[in-house]
Amino acid sequence: MSLKKKALAGVFWSALEQFGNQIIGFVISIVLARLLLPEEFGLIAMLAIFMGLGGALINSGLTQSLIRTENPNDEDFSTVFYFNLLGSVVIYGLVSLLAPFIADFYNQPQLTLIVRVYCIVFIINAFAAVQTTRLSKKMDFRTQMLVSTPSLVISGFVGIGLALYGFGVWSLVWSRIAQAIASTVQLWYWSKWRPLWLFSSEKFTEHFNFGFKLTLSGILDTVFVNAYTIIIGKFFAPAQVGFYSKADGLQMLPVRVISGIVSKITYPLFSEIQNDDIRLKSVYKRIMQMVIFLVAPTLIFIAVLGEPIFRFLYTEKWLPAVPYFQILCAAGILYPIHAYNLQILNVKGRSDLFLKLEVAKKIVLLIVLAVSFQFGIYGLLFGSVIFSMMAFGINTHYTGKFINYTAWHQTKDLLPTILLALFSGLIVYGLDSMLDGLKFHDFVRISICGLVGGGVYLLFSILLQLESLVELKTLIKRKS
């Protein structure tokens, strides 16, 4: 199969998986949010950093090294498999020992047992990390969809069932464990790959030399991405952590759906053309423009409609999360671009520069956090918007050098789309204010404003002949 056909097939199955799973997950989250309290979500959100660290180590840079390696064999895969498995056991042991200290830090005694049970997913997921990597290497996203969707459904049934029987926060814990078990069992069944009884020190050194820098970068990123949750959890009530977590999760939903469709194929796709800088720049630019064409208006529209959306989906008890949500939407617009810029470094084999950029960004984030914390929780949130813009400049530094696509050039390509999305958002804001004054139902407000805003955005995109719209139409025509 040609590269183009593989990419288009990847987009199709990745899109099907993303849309299906996000819709299912979204419905599950709505039901659970109505059954559980914000503080119960807050307790789980406090563990996000530990789950993220475990994920960064288990889905380590070694698996990324496997994807970029040309023709890896069973010796490569088996070596990484056993290293990940051993690492997951060590990580789980350390987290279990630290559980009482984690509970003391947040002043939440019940976290000790929650941590020790919840983090079992480290070991479960380690059994399937290489299987997932092999499927991604082959761009076999159809099989990944056949695994992830049933796993999510099983997780939902477990979580909702336990919540209905009054298990509270434990319904979220066992839901996550059920999803990990279901996913791992299916991946072993569908992938047909089994590790050999061997461990090559030579192969380990080869993958480790590339991957450990990515792992360190992932650890740094996890710590600092969750810095807001840590600070809010330490200095504010669990309910505030729940509000922040729900706002962040809903804000990331369209980003994950839209950018996730493409993100799953970009790394293996970029890897196949890593030595052709002109082609790599062309593909990168087109992907970036298409994603922002969809992400920017979506985030702006849902930010404007935050109040009716939260009240309609989650009920009145979640309305304090609305201002958090609106601010986070502004920070989320550039999220996909950060990831794509860093992927260029990975496919070029420069994980050392990847780590260097991560360190630089974390230093900047520490400064932003130190300043913004002085202004309370809203200061922290506005600080995240400022940091997102600063991180864009940092992430594009080496992209400009490797493929001659600087921050300035990327900004010029993205700005028309973002400005048009803002203009359409102003129209949505005015219309929603009028409908609110006329006491229209929340669902009606969301529907009318969404249709009008989307229509205005699409109309002006056609009139202005936005490059991103042209690329999106070309992709759709090729697939059909």
Side-chain angles (χ1 to χ4, degrees), residues 73-84 193-204 207:
N73 55 33
D74 278 344
E75 194 175 15
D76 293 277
F77 290 120
S78 298
T79 298
V80 174
F81 174 84
Y82 289 118
F83 175 78
N84 281 353
W193 179 82
R194 301 293 182 268
L196 302 178
W197 291 102
L198 59 84
F199 185 94
S200 167
S201 57
E202 181 183 347
K203 293 290 186 181
F204 173 74
H207 294 298

Side-chain angles (χ1 to χ4, degrees), residues 225 228-229 232 239-249 324 328 381:
V225 163
Y228 292 94
T229 302
I232 296 170
Q240 297 301 314
V241 186
F243 292 138
Y244 171 81
S245 173
K246 184 60 65 179
D248 187 51
Y324 303 175
L328 289 171
L381 294 171

Side-chain angles (χ1 to χ4, degrees), residues 204-474:
F204 173 74
T205 302
E206 176 187 337
H207 294 298
F208 184 79
N209 285 340
F210 174 82
F212 88 91
K213 304 181 192 75
L214 294 183
T215 302
L216 289 177
S217 300
I219 291 171
L220 276 174
D221 190 55
T222 298
V223 170
F224 283 88
V225 163
N226 289 283
Y228 292 94
T229 302
I230 295 171
I231 294 172
I232 296 170
K234 176 64 177 176
F235 297 101
F236 299 90
Q240 297 301 314
V241 186
F243 292 138
Y244 171 81
S245 173
K246 184 60 65 179
D248 187 51
L250 185 59
Q251 172 263 142
M252 284 300 295
L253 177 64
V255 176
R256 289 194 187 101
V257 171
I258 297 168
S259 67
I261 292 169
V262 182
S263 294
K264 291 188 72 171
I265 71 162
T266 50
Y267 188 60
L269 177 62
F270 289 165
S271 295
E272 292 203 25
I273 55 175
Q274 59 184 286
N275 297 318
D276 187 344
D277 289 344
I278 295 176
R279 192 179 178 194
L280 184 59
K281 175 184 176 180
S282 174
V283 171
Y284 172 83
K285 175 182 174 181
R286 287 150 57 192
I287 287 175
M288 179 187 70
Q289 287 181 316
M290 284 188 291
V291 170
I292 290 298
F293 179 78
L294 298 171
V295 167
T298 303
L299 286 181
I300 290 170
F301 292 173
I302 62 175
V304 172
L305 300 170
E307 182 182 328
I309 287 175
F310 266 79
R311 184 166 46 234
F312 177 70
L313 294 177
Y314 305 123
T315 72
E316 297 272 349
K317 68 182 177 184
W318 287 96
L319 283 181
V322 172
Y324 303 175
F325 172 70
Q326 292 171 325
I327 298 170
L328 289 171
C329 281
I333 292 176
L334 292 177
Y335 177 85
I337 308 307
H338 298 321
Y340 297 152
N341 271 285
L342 294 175
Q343 281 184 350
I344 298 297
L345 294 182
N346 288 344
V347 300
K348 289 293 186 180
R350 298 304 305 270
S351 56
D352 57 326
L353 297 180
F354 189 109
L355 178 59
K356 182 178 178 181
L357 287 185
E358 289 303 305
V359 172
K361 284 188 295 184
K362 295 342 173 198
I363 293 172
V364 172
L365 180 57
L366 279 175
I367 297 171
V368 171
L369 284 171
V371 175
S372 61
F373 179 70
Q374 309 301 317
F375 302 94
I377 193 167
Y378 286 106
L380 288 169
L381 294 171
F382 280 113
S384 71
V385 179
I386 295 171
F387 174 72
S388 180
M389 293 186 288
M390 296 173 73
F392 172 73
I394 296 172
N395 286 335
T396 54
H397 175 71
Y398 287 111
T399 311
K401 289 188 174 182
F402 281 120
I403 61 173
N404 193 31
Y405 199 24
T406 64
W408 170 242
H409 289 112
Q410 292 188 41
T411 301
K412 284 200 303 181
D413 288 333
L414 296 176
L415 198 56
T417 301
I418 295 175
L419 290 176
L420 178 56
L422 286 170
F423 170 74
S424 304
L426 287 174
I427 293 176
V428 170
Y429 175 77
L431 178 59
D432 182 59
S433 298
M434 182 184 72
L435 296 177
D436 185 29
L438 295 173
K439 307 299 181 184
F440 274 70
H441 188 274
D442 289 332
F443 180 75
V444 177
R445 288 169 59 184
I446 297 167
S447 301
I448 292 176
C449 291
L451 289 171
V452 172
V456 169
Y457 180 72
L458 186 58
L459 175 63
F460 277 90
S461 298
I462 295 171
L463 293 175
L464 297 172
Q465 295 185 329
L466 282 186
E467 226 179 315
S468 47
L469 177 62
V470 174
E471 290 295 342
L472 188 62
K473 287 167 63 178
T474 302

Side-chain angles (χ1 to χ4, degrees), residues 125-143:
N125 286 338
F127 275 96
V130 171
Q131 278 84 347
T132 303
T133 300
R134 283 173 57 84
L135 294 174
S136 296
K137 176 76 174 176
K138 295 187 292 184
M139 293 192 186
D140 184 0
F141 300 107
R142 177 180 178 275
T143 300

